[in-house]
Amino acid sequence: MTRTTRRYVEWTIERALFACAVGSVLVTAGIIGVLLFETVAFLREVPIGSFLFGTVWTPLFSDAQFGVLPLVGGTILVSAIAMAVAVPAGLLSAIYLSEYANPRVRRVVKPVLEVLAGVPTVVYGYFALLFVTPLLQTFLPSLSSFNALSPGLVMGIMILPLVSSLSEDALHAVPNGLREGAYALGATRMQAALRVVVPAALSGISASFILAMSRAIGETMIVAIAAGQQPRLTANPLVPVETMTAYIVQISMGDTPAGSIGYRTIFAVGMLLFVMTFVLNLASDWLRRRFREVYA
Amino acid sequence: MIRPLRPLTTFTSPPGAAAPPTGVKIAVTGLDFFYSQKQALSAITTDLQANIVTAFIGPSGCGKSTFLRTLNRMNDIIPGARVEGQILIDGHDIYHPGTDVVDLRRRVGMVFQKSNPFPKSIFENVAYGLRVNGITRNRGELEGRVEDSLKAAAIWDEVKDRLSESALMLSGGQQQRLCIARALAIQPEILLMDEPASALDPIATQRIEELIYQLKTTYTIVIVTHNMQQAARVSDRTAFFWLGRLVESGPTEQIFTSPTEKLTEDYVTGRFG
Amino acid sequence: MTAGARRLAGDRLLQTLSILVLALSLVALMTLLYDVWSDGWQRLDWRFLTSNPSRRAAAAGIYPALVGSFYVLLVTAALSLPLGIGAAVYLEEYGGGGRWARLIEINIANLAGVPSIIYGLLGLSVFVRVFGWGPSVLAGGATLALLALPVVILSTREALRTVPMSAREGSYALGATQWQTIWHQVLPSAFPGILTGLILAMSRAIGETAPLITIGALAYIDFTPTSVMSPFTVLPIQVYNWVSRPQAAFAENAAAGIIVLLVLLLTLNSVAVVLRDRIQKARA
């Protein structure tokens, strides 16, 4: 190969690889572009105020109303239940794995948590609808077959590994000197963990909570299967609700013609979902970066 | 992460031109070297002679390895590295924008401190340079040149029956001689050796030193060593580095017996370092 | 109780609580697996694997969904692997911390956090409508490829980072160009790690439901896809379809479908582990 050919080949390959990398930017651009395009078209027909603050969501009725709050409310309700499970359980298991467990226990527990994270969400949906809900109904007779509680609990189990592994990383990053200092003052492992290590790792731990919240908000199949399809603004976890993601699935399963207002609603809802998760991801990232700066 | 190598126009030396048997092979003038902000070499000026062994000595961190790596532009792959000054090989500026680093490294071979055979067979290790440089595709010729290189590196008898075995199965000393064979296969003019025996036992070290002695008839050799006895044994000329500066250079015997600088004397007599 | 005893009791309490939580999550996993197995195992037979879905639960099978999952996964792999590996090699070996590289890195980290259903909306708009591919295997595979891209890129970069600098130096010192060094030294050394990451990405893709529903993959289909332009369904969508039927018999089908899905996942992951071990052993 002559020098010129060689240089040309090298140059071409580098450009091609660069194009692959730029492709990932195009994906983001595509997502934002598509959501923006359809949302703008949607907002030409529905004023933004009545979309964001309206409390009735009946886009397919003849007197259609486009108040997204019931979907947002349903999403937040289910996510809050999930967080109520995942945050304490995830944090406890993180403390245990990082501060107490011996390597042998870790070798058993970590793969189990990984398996929990790897189960397809449709399977969790099945579990919520056909196992957890009937089980809960034996204690709570007023629980409807579709409700926020059961998918919320199951979603909590699903995001537990995320909270646990990210929090554990944060706890691990806390220098041992801090622990030793606490032990030297006569603290038990619990006191060292709760009063010294956890506070020191707080921004890293909060980052994991926020990321878990973002994951819960974007989770689709569990709620589409087990929470119902009735948009209603309620804090009652025992009745059917509909989340933003479940709504998108509901419309996609039917046949709503492209270009119709019904079709555009899923993009408007998708836009809102994207913005919410994006803000949460940014916040989580910011906290994690701050945490790393402290202990880098 | 690696900064792209920027092979541009020509590194001009007519192919196959024989290097002059004696005289200045590498001429360095006012060389400064920086890792990002930190200056690692300052104002190095020296000439390295053809077809002899030049040893770089000095305490660790004195810049001798860094200097060695500027001679084949191996430092180019370190992000933030910067060179000022001039290095001429056979009169051609190797940091000139028109210089092709790939050509340069083909002419200036290198052996590293820690032997780094590729995770391939013994044969493929030696054939690698021939293949990537497109020197030959002919199987017979390839085999011939691999054999010649292994013989030149004094390892042929030990490996001739197991050329297809993984190079990682060899002992440390054998691996290092394989790396020398690998470098010789593409017939460089200059061979840079960065503490080639520092990880080896005395017997393996002795074989490497004997090999260096044989190779200097054909190659210009520059060796970095922290072992002064080794420098005294293998080299014709010695250069002493201290804190990024070239303190003194001259015939090895003179450096070790009657250096002009006090610092050199202190170092070679073991008063520090 | 003395202060010391109280402190020790607190310590014991925290430890007990933690173990309880971990035990509960283990129990949850076991319960889930047991529940699915006990609901579905009776439906599992050769006919279930090789039949089309049917309005009669007892006659229904998952054949089109199984084939659909397989085809979609092939398209996903074929698209996401070269793109993902290419991007990772650029960022790790060429990018050099330039402004573009930093922008791309931030972008990839953000993409990894985008909910999967949003990718479905992108696929619906771009692949199905603008490109006119319809709700086809190609559109579904491409959508999942975009979803898998950040995972492939991140795991490939991880693997590239494990290749020691000395391997690169050895190659450069012999006059190899940058690409020759990457192709002959870096990629082969990183291969086991890359492979594991890829299989992980594919095992996530095979369980994805929401984005494929969004692009309009059919829930009921009684033919197998014949080309990349065919309409299709996949295993998780078939499961979803059966779960949403009120009759208990369909729930059994769903459970049986889930067992097949989980077995596929387990197989993929075991293949990853075995391949990695074998390659590492061959190297050593």
Side-chain angles (χ1 to χ4, degrees):
Chain A
M1 201 161 29
T2 70
R3 201 175 285 149
T4 329
T5 349
R6 187 180 70 214
R7 211 164 292 133
Y8 180 72
V9 169
E10 287 288 310
W11 184 87
T12 311
I13 288 171
E14 183 177 344
R15 291 296 102 190
L17 295 172
F18 179 67
C20 290
V22 168
S24 72
V25 178
L26 289 184
V27 177
T28 309
I31 288 174
I32 294 174
V34 161
L35 292 179
L36 217 53
F37 179 78
E38 298 284 355
T39 305
V40 165
F42 171 79
L43 290 178
R44 227 173 269 144
E45 294 180 50
V46 179
I48 189 161
S50 52
F51 172 61
L52 286 180
F53 304 111
T55 55
V56 181
W57 180 260
T58 53
L60 300 180
F61 287 11
S62 45
D63 66 329
Q65 300 218 40
F66 299 95
V68 79
L69 281 185
L71 297 183
V72 175
T75 302
I76 291 177
L77 179 61
V78 178
S79 306
I81 296 169
M83 293 298 283
V85 173
V87 163
L91 185 55
L92 266 178
S93 42
I95 292 175
Y96 180 73
L97 288 174
S98 149
E99 309 293 312
Y100 288 90
N102 62 37
R104 227 183 49 230
V105 175
R106 293 165 55 91
R107 261 206 302 280
V108 178
V109 171
K110 297 208 80 162
V112 170
L113 290 177
E114 269 167 42
V115 170
L116 274 179
V119 172
T121 55
V122 70
V123 179
Y124 279 116
Y126 174 95
F127 187 57
L129 179 70
L130 296 173
F131 184 83
V132 177
T133 298
L135 184 71
L136 290 173
Q137 276 169 333
T138 58
F139 313 104
L140 290 167
S142 62
L143 186 71
S144 5
S145 332
F146 295 103
N147 57 74
L149 182 59
S150 161
L153 294 177
V154 172
M155 201 190 282
I157 297 174
M158 187 196 83
I159 56 179
L160 189 157
L162 181 76
V163 175
S164 152
S165 79
L166 290 181
S167 297
E168 195 202 335
D169 289 346
L171 293 174
H172 251 297
V174 173
N176 251 330
L178 278 180
R179 286 184 191 89
E180 283 158 9
Y183 294 148
L185 295 173
T188 61
R189 269 200 293 194
M190 176 196 71
Q191 288 170 322
L194 294 186
R195 301 214 186 130
V196 176
V197 182
V198 170
L202 200 60
S203 51
I205 293 173
S206 333
S208 81
F209 294 166
I210 294 175
L211 201 64
M213 185 74 190
S214 161
R215 187 71 56 87
I217 287 176
E219 169 45 38
T220 307
M221 293 320 291
I222 302 179
V223 283
I225 291 172
Q229 299 186 336
Q230 299 176 24
R232 81 171 83 194
L233 194 54
T234 176
N236 180 359
L238 306 181
V239 296
V241 293
E242 182 163 47
T243 66
M244 297 193 284
T245 51
Y247 172 74
I248 297 175
V249 167
Q250 184 197 349
I251 294 299
S252 306
M253 294 297 286
D255 54 344
T256 314
S260 70
I261 184 81
Y263 175 80
R264 289 193 169 130
T265 53
I266 61 175
F267 288 91
V269 170
M271 184 67 165
L272 194 58
L273 178 66
F274 178 75
V275 170
M276 286 167 75
T277 53
F278 186 72
V279 169
L280 288 173
N281 291 345
L282 279 189
S284 167
D285 197 52
W286 180 77
L287 276 170
R288 208 173 12 225
R289 204 161 303 194
R290 226 183 54 167
F291 177 67
R292 253 191 246 133
E293 272 163 22
V294 176
Y295 294 112
Chain B
M1 223 167 295
I2 295 175
R3 200 151 57 106
L5 309 174
R6 302 210 181 280
L8 291 166
T9 48
T10 46
F11 180 80
T12 40
S13 168
T22 52
V24 176
K25 183 74 179 171
I26 305 173
V28 183
T29 324
L31 187 80
D32 293 334
F33 183 86
F34 304 85
Y35 291 112
S36 297
Q37 299 305 315
K38 194 175 151 279
Q39 183 159 9
L41 293 175
S42 34
I44 308 284
T45 298
T46 186
D47 288 340
L48 302 173
Q49 310 290 322
N51 290 76
I52 62 164
V53 177
T54 305
F56 293 169
I57 60 169
S60 45
C62 66
K64 54 193 192 301
S65 283
T66 302
F67 181 45
L68 191 76
R69 293 164 60 98
T70 59
L71 300 179
N72 67 343
R73 292 184 55 176
M74 199 46 109
N75 288 321
D76 282 18
I77 63 179
I78 298 170
R82 195 156 47 86
V83 174
E84 282 163 21
Q86 197 182 46
I87 299 177
L88 303 178
I89 294 183
D90 290 339
H92 298 287
D93 181 357
I94 65 168
Y95 281 93
H96 186 275
T99 297
D100 186 317
V101 273
V102 169
D103 276 349
L104 170 69
R105 290 181 188 149
R106 194 176 299 171
R107 298 179 55 209
V108 185
M110 187 166 209
V111 175
F112 297 85
Q113 179 171 11
K114 199 171 163 300
S115 60
N116 56 349
F118 303 126
K120 299 173 179 239
S121 71
I122 294 168
F123 183 88
E124 283 303 322
N125 261 277
V126 183
Y128 183 76
L130 300 170
R131 288 190 201 278
V132 296
N133 289 308
I135 291 173
T136 174
R137 299 203 181 282
N138 176 306
R139 184 76 196 175
E141 198 186 338
L142 202 60
E143 279 170 6
R145 290 184 74 154
V146 167
E147 181 178 338
D148 291 346
S149 310
L150 288 167
K151 280 179 176 158
I155 190 180
W156 171 252
D157 290 333
E158 289 155 76
V159 300
K160 65 180 176 209
D161 300 322
R162 45 179 181 143
L163 291 176
S164 57
E165 275 179 35
S166 167
L168 302 179
M169 306 292 276
L170 298 174
S171 74
Q174 289 172 325
Q175 286 191 6
Q176 195 60 296
R177 275 178 286 142
L178 177 68
C179 288
I180 294 173
R182 188 173 76 177
L184 298 181
I186 53 173
Q187 299 182 331
E189 297 157 24
I190 300 168
L191 195 56
L192 308 176
M193 304 179 114
D194 189 356
E195 304 197 25
S198 66
L200 302 181
D201 61 66
I203 293 174
T205 301
Q206 193 193 342
R207 305 189 95 166
I208 299 276
E209 287 177 7
E210 284 164 7
L211 180 56
I212 291 170
Y213 193 80
Q214 290 161 17
L215 292 176
K216 77 173 176 185
T217 52
T218 332
Y219 304 92
T220 300
I221 296 178
V222 185
I223 177 171
V224 164
T225 177
H226 58 226
N227 178 331
M228 278 177 284
Q229 286 79 22
Q230 185 170 65
R233 283 193 300 265
V234 301
S235 71
D236 303 296
R237 291 178 69 84
T238 295
F240 170 56
F241 287 78
W242 191 69
L243 293 182
R245 289 174 190 281
L246 174 62
V247 176
E248 184 175 3
S249 67
T252 299
E253 207 180 301
Q254 181 209 317
I255 294 287
F256 279 92
T257 53
S258 52
T260 46
E261 299 286 330
K262 176 82 169 60
L263 209 52
T264 314
E265 190 183 339
D266 288 350
Y267 183 73
V268 298
T269 54
R271 239 164 264 162
F272 76 94
Chain C
M1 200 156 52
T2 66
R6 211 163 39 233
R7 274 213 303 270
L8 281 181
D11 199 35
R12 188 97 26 92
L13 182 71
L14 183 71
Q15 198 168 355
T16 317
L17 263 178
S18 313
I19 293 176
L20 208 65
V21 161
L22 284 170
L24 273 178
S25 53
L26 185 66
V27 168
L29 179 63
M30 289 301 160
T31 315
L32 187 155
L33 294 179
Y34 175 76
D35 178 46
V36 167
W37 176 254
S38 65
D39 289 353
W41 70 274
Q42 287 145 312
R43 286 290 293 124
L44 272 184
D45 52 21
W46 189 245
R47 262 191 47 211
F48 181 72
L49 295 179
T50 55
S51 300
N52 288 334
S54 158
R55 256 166 302 176
R56 290 188 307 112
I62 54 167
Y63 186 62
L66 212 52
V67 176
S69 274
F70 180 69
Y71 284 174
V72 168
L73 209 62
L74 275 188
V75 174
T76 303
L79 293 176
S80 65
L81 305 198
L83 266 178
I85 296 179
V89 167
Y90 180 80
L91 291 174
E92 209 54 41
E93 307 285 334
Y94 292 87
R99 197 180 313 161
W100 267 102
R102 265 194 57 72
L103 178 74
I104 293 168
E105 276 174 32
I106 294 171
N107 172 61
I108 289 166
N110 279 326
L111 275 182
V114 172
S116 64
I117 197 163
I118 301 286
Y119 285 92
L121 292 174
L122 176 67
L124 171 64
S125 222
V126 174
F127 299 139
V128 176
R129 309 252 179 238
V130 177
F131 291 5
W133 292 347
S136 59
V137 169
L138 182 59
T143 304
L144 291 191
L146 299 186
L147 185 63
L149 202 56
V151 185
V152 175
I153 294 176
L154 292 175
S155 61
T156 304
R157 292 188 70 183
E158 242 6 91
L160 291 175
R161 253 175 249 158
T162 63
V163 179
M165 203 59 201
S166 63
R168 295 183 175 89
E169 287 182 341
S171 176
Y172 284 128
L174 293 172
T177 63
Q178 185 165 17
W179 175 246
Q180 285 172 330
T181 300
I182 293 168
W183 182 251
H184 293 294
Q185 302 300 337
V186 179
L187 284 177
S189 289
F191 183 67
I194 295 176
L195 190 71
T196 317
L198 297 184
I199 296 184
L200 231 64
M202 291 307 112
S203 69
R204 190 164 318 169
I206 202 177
E208 276 297 343
T209 323
L212 295 181
I213 291 178
T214 311
I215 67 154
L218 300 179
Y220 183 89
I221 199 168
D222 57 0
F223 53 88
T224 51
T226 49
S227 80
V228 289
M229 298 315 286
S230 297
F232 71 102
T233 193
V234 292
L235 207 42
I237 293 185
Q238 182 66 67
V239 169
Y240 173 58
N241 180 28
W242 279 331
V243 172
S244 15
R245 306 278 192 98
Q247 301 94 323
F250 280 110
E252 284 175 18
N253 285 359
I258 287 174
I259 297 174
V260 176
L261 183 60
L262 291 179
V263 167
L264 280 179
L265 272 176
L266 198 70
T267 316
L268 263 178
N269 282 301
S270 319
V271 166
V273 172
V274 169
L275 270 180
R276 190 182 46 189
D277 284 358
R278 190 164 296 171
I279 291 167
Q280 267 165 0
K281 230 169 262 162
R283 286 269 169 70

